[in-house]
Structure formats: structure tokens, C-alpha cells
Amino acid sequence: MGETFIVEVTMNQETREQAEAILREMGVSVPVVIRMLYSQIIAHDGLPFDVRMPKGIDESMSKEEEDAVSLMTLNDLRNGNAIPFEDFAARICGKYNIPREELLGNKN
């Protein structure tokens, strides 16, 4: 089977309990689900499902999450890794086949 490694994830207890209860009902263990996810990431050359920010995401973010996003953005700017928003939007739309209007709303 080859070399193995440990994946460690930090999440809130409620999320973990809810997800694991569903998996138990399905008869699937967490390690099996993680292996399935990794296999699908490889098969799809990316995430095997759409990831979109729900409306009102700013309201649901914790202070720590907001700070982390701000720090990542600031570090990208400092390191010269930031790109114009239009370029970013074009990459996301192209890579994930998302219509521009769906990603940005009806903005031009």
C-alpha cells in the first residue's frame, strides 16, 4: 500500500459531530471519506464539487477568520503576489466554468 501519513484537521465540535453522525448512518468511516476525497481531487484535477461563497458570508465569519483573510491579502500585497480582481475573476470563471455574471452578479 505504500507509505502512509496522518492528516490533522481543526474544526468546531458541532460540525465534527454532525458530519460523523451522518457518516455513521451511511456506514462510512472518516478515513475512508478522506481517501475518497483525495482520490476525487486527483481525478478532477481540483475540487470535485463547486465551492461558492454564500450570500452574507461576511456576517457569518468569525473575527479570527476575517483577520486570517485580511492577513493573507496583506501578505499577498507585500510579496507582490496580488493580481487585479478582473484577472482573478477571469481565472476562476475559466477554471471552474462559472459564468462571469454568476460569480460577480450583474456587475460589468
Side-chain angles (χ1 to χ4, degrees):
M1 181 172 178
E3 194 173 337
T4 62
F5 63 97
I6 294 173
V7 175
E8 186 174 322
V9 178
T10 302
M11 70 179 70
N12 71 47
Q13 185 173 349
E14 183 180 349
T15 300
R16 176 182 168 216
E17 290 172 354
Q18 288 178 5
E20 288 181 1
I22 292 167
L23 293 175
R24 273 193 302 278
E25 287 179 21
M26 296 173 64
V28 181
S29 70
V30 172
V32 167
V33 170
I34 292 171
R35 285 193 294 273
M36 290 168 51
L37 176 61
Y38 274 52
S39 294
Q40 288 297 305
I41 290 169
I42 294 166
H44 286 86
D45 194 27
L47 291 175
F49 46 82
D50 288 338
V51 178
R52 299 186 185 178
M53 298 296 264
K55 294 189 185 302
I57 189 70
D58 295 327
E59 298 158 8
S60 66
M61 287 179 104
S62 70
K63 176 71 172 132
E64 292 80 15
E65 290 169 323
E66 288 177 10
D67 290 347
V69 170
S70 296
L71 182 59
M72 287 187 310
T73 304
L74 182 59
N75 284 337
D76 282 342
L77 288 170
R78 284 182 179 152
N79 296 326
N81 296 328
I83 61 172
F85 179 76
E86 288 297 323
D87 293 349
F88 170 77
R91 286 184 193 177
I92 295 298
C93 289
K95 181 167 183 152
Y96 297 104
N97 197 26
I98 300 171
R100 187 178 189 283
E101 301 77 34
E102 191 174 321
L103 180 70
L104 303 176
N106 290 328
K107 298 177 184 176
N108 288 332

PDB file of all heavy atoms in Angstrom, residues 42-59:
ATOM      1  N   ILE A  42      -7.639  14.252  -7.229  1.00  0.00           N
ATOM      2  CA  ILE A  42      -6.700  13.847  -8.278  1.00  0.00           C
ATOM      3  C   ILE A  42      -7.449  13.622  -9.593  1.00  0.00           C
ATOM      4  O   ILE A  42      -7.039  14.111 -10.645  1.00  0.00           O
ATOM      5  CB  ILE A  42      -5.915  12.582  -7.857  1.00  0.00           C
ATOM      6  CG1 ILE A  42      -5.012  12.916  -6.674  1.00  0.00           C
ATOM      7  CG2 ILE A  42      -5.125  12.014  -9.038  1.00  0.00           C
ATOM      8  CD1 ILE A  42      -4.449  11.698  -5.964  1.00  0.00           C
ATOM      9  N   ALA A  43      -8.564  12.901  -9.535  1.00  0.00           N
ATOM     10  CA  ALA A  43      -9.321  12.587 -10.746  1.00  0.00           C
ATOM     11  C   ALA A  43      -9.867  13.840 -11.426  1.00  0.00           C
ATOM     12  O   ALA A  43      -9.942  13.909 -12.651  1.00  0.00           O
ATOM     13  CB  ALA A  43     -10.472  11.632 -10.411  1.00  0.00           C
ATOM     14  N   HIS A  44     -10.248  14.844 -10.647  1.00  0.00           N
ATOM     15  CA  HIS A  44     -10.820  16.076 -11.199  1.00  0.00           C
ATOM     16  C   HIS A  44      -9.779  17.178 -11.405  1.00  0.00           C
ATOM     17  O   HIS A  44     -10.103  18.242 -11.899  1.00  0.00           O
ATOM     18  CB  HIS A  44     -11.918  16.614 -10.273  1.00  0.00           C
ATOM     19  CG  HIS A  44     -13.182  15.838 -10.327  1.00  0.00           C
ATOM     20  ND1 HIS A  44     -13.399  14.712  -9.557  1.00  0.00           N
ATOM     21  CD2 HIS A  44     -14.289  16.017 -11.059  1.00  0.00           C
ATOM     22  CE1 HIS A  44     -14.597  14.242  -9.815  1.00  0.00           C
ATOM     23  NE2 HIS A  44     -15.162  15.008 -10.718  1.00  0.00           N
ATOM     24  N   ASP A  45      -8.564  16.925 -10.963  1.00  0.00           N
ATOM     25  CA  ASP A  45      -7.508  17.936 -11.016  1.00  0.00           C
ATOM     26  C   ASP A  45      -7.975  19.214 -10.318  1.00  0.00           C
ATOM     27  O   ASP A  45      -7.782  20.325 -10.785  1.00  0.00           O
ATOM     28  CB  ASP A  45      -7.103  18.227 -12.458  1.00  0.00           C
ATOM     29  CG  ASP A  45      -5.795  19.010 -12.539  1.00  0.00           C
ATOM     30  OD1 ASP A  45      -4.970  18.882 -11.616  1.00  0.00           O
ATOM     31  OD2 ASP A  45      -5.611  19.750 -13.528  1.00  0.00           O
ATOM     32  N   GLY A  46      -8.612  19.028  -9.186  1.00  0.00           N
ATOM     33  CA  GLY A  46      -9.165  20.129  -8.404  1.00  0.00           C
ATOM     34  C   GLY A  46     -10.256  19.590  -7.507  1.00  0.00           C
ATOM     35  O   GLY A  46     -10.439  18.373  -7.403  1.00  0.00           O
ATOM     36  N   LEU A  47     -10.985  20.472  -6.882  1.00  0.00           N
ATOM     37  CA  LEU A  47     -12.073  20.016  -6.023  1.00  0.00           C
ATOM     38  C   LEU A  47     -13.166  19.363  -6.857  1.00  0.00           C
ATOM     39  O   LEU A  47     -13.514  19.858  -7.927  1.00  0.00           O
ATOM     40  CB  LEU A  47     -12.656  21.184  -5.225  1.00  0.00           C
ATOM     41  CG  LEU A  47     -11.737  21.763  -4.158  1.00  0.00           C
ATOM     42  CD1 LEU A  47     -12.376  22.993  -3.518  1.00  0.00           C
ATOM     43  CD2 LEU A  47     -11.420  20.731  -3.090  1.00  0.00           C
ATOM     44  N   PRO A  48     -13.732  18.251  -6.366  1.00  0.00           N
ATOM     45  CA  PRO A  48     -14.746  17.532  -7.149  1.00  0.00           C
ATOM     46  C   PRO A  48     -16.149  18.097  -6.972  1.00  0.00           C
ATOM     47  O   PRO A  48     -17.132  17.441  -7.292  1.00  0.00           O
ATOM     48  CB  PRO A  48     -14.645  16.107  -6.586  1.00  0.00           C
ATOM     49  CG  PRO A  48     -14.223  16.300  -5.174  1.00  0.00           C
ATOM     50  CD  PRO A  48     -13.296  17.501  -5.196  1.00  0.00           C
ATOM     51  N   PHE A  49     -16.260  19.315  -6.459  1.00  0.00           N
ATOM     52  CA  PHE A  49     -17.561  19.950  -6.266  1.00  0.00           C
ATOM     53  C   PHE A  49     -17.369  21.459  -6.327  1.00  0.00           C
ATOM     54  O   PHE A  49     -16.264  21.965  -6.199  1.00  0.00           O
ATOM     55  CB  PHE A  49     -18.181  19.551  -4.920  1.00  0.00           C
ATOM     56  CG  PHE A  49     -17.210  19.619  -3.767  1.00  0.00           C
ATOM     57  CD1 PHE A  49     -16.929  20.834  -3.134  1.00  0.00           C
ATOM     58  CD2 PHE A  49     -16.571  18.475  -3.310  1.00  0.00           C
ATOM     59  CE1 PHE A  49     -16.030  20.888  -2.076  1.00  0.00           C
ATOM     60  CE2 PHE A  49     -15.682  18.534  -2.250  1.00  0.00           C
ATOM     61  CZ  PHE A  49     -15.405  19.741  -1.633  1.00  0.00           C
ATOM     62  N   ASP A  50     -18.463  22.178  -6.576  1.00  0.00           N
ATOM     63  CA  ASP A  50     -18.396  23.634  -6.637  1.00  0.00           C
ATOM     64  C   ASP A  50     -18.258  24.203  -5.240  1.00  0.00           C
ATOM     65  O   ASP A  50     -18.906  23.735  -4.301  1.00  0.00           O
ATOM     66  CB  ASP A  50     -19.665  24.215  -7.268  1.00  0.00           C
ATOM     67  CG  ASP A  50     -19.740  23.945  -8.764  1.00  0.00           C
ATOM     68  OD1 ASP A  50     -18.684  23.702  -9.369  1.00  0.00           O
ATOM     69  OD2 ASP A  50     -20.846  23.987  -9.307  1.00  0.00           O
ATOM     70  N   VAL A  51     -17.423  25.202  -5.113  1.00  0.00           N
ATOM     71  CA  VAL A  51     -17.274  25.914  -3.844  1.00  0.00           C
ATOM     72  C   VAL A  51     -17.609  27.362  -4.118  1.00  0.00           C
ATOM     73  O   VAL A  51     -16.956  28.013  -4.923  1.00  0.00           O
ATOM     74  CB  VAL A  51     -15.826  25.804  -3.299  1.00  0.00           C
ATOM     75  CG1 VAL A  51     -15.691  26.595  -2.015  1.00  0.00           C
ATOM     76  CG2 VAL A  51     -15.451  24.346  -3.087  1.00  0.00           C
ATOM     77  N   ARG A  52     -18.650  27.823  -3.471  1.00  0.00           N
ATOM     78  CA  ARG A  52     -19.081  29.201  -3.668  1.00  0.00           C
ATOM     79  C   ARG A  52     -19.322  29.842  -2.321  1.00  0.00           C
ATOM     80  O   ARG A  52     -19.741  29.188  -1.372  1.00  0.00           O
ATOM     81  CB  ARG A  52     -20.355  29.247  -4.479  1.00  0.00           C
ATOM     82  CG  ARG A  52     -20.111  28.621  -5.846  1.00  0.00           C
ATOM     83  CD  ARG A  52     -21.252  28.754  -6.719  1.00  0.00           C
ATOM     84  NE  ARG A  52     -20.927  28.018  -7.946  1.00  0.00           N
ATOM     85  CZ  ARG A  52     -21.731  27.896  -8.930  1.00  0.00           C
ATOM     86  NH1 ARG A  52     -22.910  28.457  -8.863  1.00  0.00           N
ATOM     87  NH2 ARG A  52     -21.383  27.236  -9.982  1.00  0.00           N
ATOM     88  N   MET A  53     -19.062  31.114  -2.254  1.00  0.00           N
ATOM     89  CA  MET A  53     -19.288  31.853  -1.028  1.00  0.00           C
ATOM     90  C   MET A  53     -20.777  32.139  -0.907  1.00  0.00           C
ATOM     91  O   MET A  53     -21.367  32.719  -1.815  1.00  0.00           O
ATOM     92  CB  MET A  53     -18.524  33.174  -1.039  1.00  0.00           C
ATOM     93  CG  MET A  53     -17.023  32.988  -1.114  1.00  0.00           C
ATOM     94  SD  MET A  53     -16.366  32.159   0.307  1.00  0.00           S
ATOM     95  CE  MET A  53     -15.860  33.557   1.242  1.00  0.00           C
ATOM     96  N   PRO A  54     -21.400  31.708   0.187  1.00  0.00           N
ATOM     97  CA  PRO A  54     -22.821  32.012   0.357  1.00  0.00           C
ATOM     98  C   PRO A  54     -23.029  33.502   0.548  1.00  0.00           C
ATOM     99  O   PRO A  54     -22.142  34.203   1.031  1.00  0.00           O
ATOM    100  CB  PRO A  54     -23.211  31.237   1.613  1.00  0.00           C
ATOM    101  CG  PRO A  54     -21.948  30.908   2.292  1.00  0.00           C
ATOM    102  CD  PRO A  54     -20.852  30.946   1.277  1.00  0.00           C
ATOM    103  N   LYS A  55     -24.209  33.963   0.149  1.00  0.00           N
ATOM    104  CA  LYS A  55     -24.524  35.380   0.351  1.00  0.00           C
ATOM    105  C   LYS A  55     -24.470  35.675   1.839  1.00  0.00           C
ATOM    106  O   LYS A  55     -24.815  34.847   2.662  1.00  0.00           O
ATOM    107  CB  LYS A  55     -25.899  35.698  -0.212  1.00  0.00           C
ATOM    108  CG  LYS A  55     -25.960  35.559  -1.713  1.00  0.00           C
ATOM    109  CD  LYS A  55     -27.254  36.083  -2.260  1.00  0.00           C
ATOM    110  CE  LYS A  55     -27.381  35.833  -3.735  1.00  0.00           C
ATOM    111  NZ  LYS A  55     -26.396  36.367  -4.569  1.00  0.00           N
ATOM    112  N   GLY A  56     -23.985  36.851   2.197  1.00  0.00           N
ATOM    113  CA  GLY A  56     -23.889  37.227   3.600  1.00  0.00           C
ATOM    114  C   GLY A  56     -22.740  36.557   4.324  1.00  0.00           C
ATOM    115  O   GLY A  56     -22.759  36.445   5.537  1.00  0.00           O
ATOM    116  N   ILE A  57     -21.725  36.086   3.574  1.00  0.00           N
ATOM    117  CA  ILE A  57     -20.612  35.375   4.200  1.00  0.00           C
ATOM    118  C   ILE A  57     -19.911  36.238   5.236  1.00  0.00           C
ATOM    119  O   ILE A  57     -19.460  35.743   6.257  1.00  0.00           O
ATOM    120  CB  ILE A  57     -19.598  34.860   3.141  1.00  0.00           C
ATOM    121  CG1 ILE A  57     -18.557  33.932   3.780  1.00  0.00           C
ATOM    122  CG2 ILE A  57     -18.909  36.002   2.431  1.00  0.00           C
ATOM    123  CD1 ILE A  57     -19.084  32.625   4.211  1.00  0.00           C
ATOM    124  N   ASP A  58     -19.849  37.545   4.981  1.00  0.00           N
ATOM    125  CA  ASP A  58     -19.169  38.422   5.931  1.00  0.00           C
ATOM    126  C   ASP A  58     -19.823  38.362   7.304  1.00  0.00           C
ATOM    127  O   ASP A  58     -19.154  38.457   8.327  1.00  0.00           O
ATOM    128  CB  ASP A  58     -19.164  39.866   5.432  1.00  0.00           C
ATOM    129  CG  ASP A  58     -18.354  40.020   4.159  1.00  0.00           C
ATOM    130  OD1 ASP A  58     -17.366  39.291   4.000  1.00  0.00           O
ATOM    131  OD2 ASP A  58     -18.730  40.860   3.331  1.00  0.00           O
ATOM    132  N   GLU A  59     -21.148  38.195   7.328  1.00  0.00           N
ATOM    133  CA  GLU A  59     -21.865  38.149   8.597  1.00  0.00           C
ATOM    134  C   GLU A  59     -21.585  36.863   9.368  1.00  0.00           C
ATOM    135  O   GLU A  59     -21.674  36.831  10.581  1.00  0.00           O
ATOM    136  CB  GLU A  59     -23.361  38.291   8.340  1.00  0.00           C
ATOM    137  CG  GLU A  59     -23.710  39.624   7.701  1.00  0.00           C
ATOM    138  CD  GLU A  59     -25.040  39.582   6.963  1.00  0.00           C
ATOM    139  OE1 GLU A  59     -25.755  38.573   7.078  1.00  0.00           O
ATOM    140  OE2 GLU A  59     -25.346  40.565   6.272  1.00  0.00           O
TER     141      GLU A  59
END
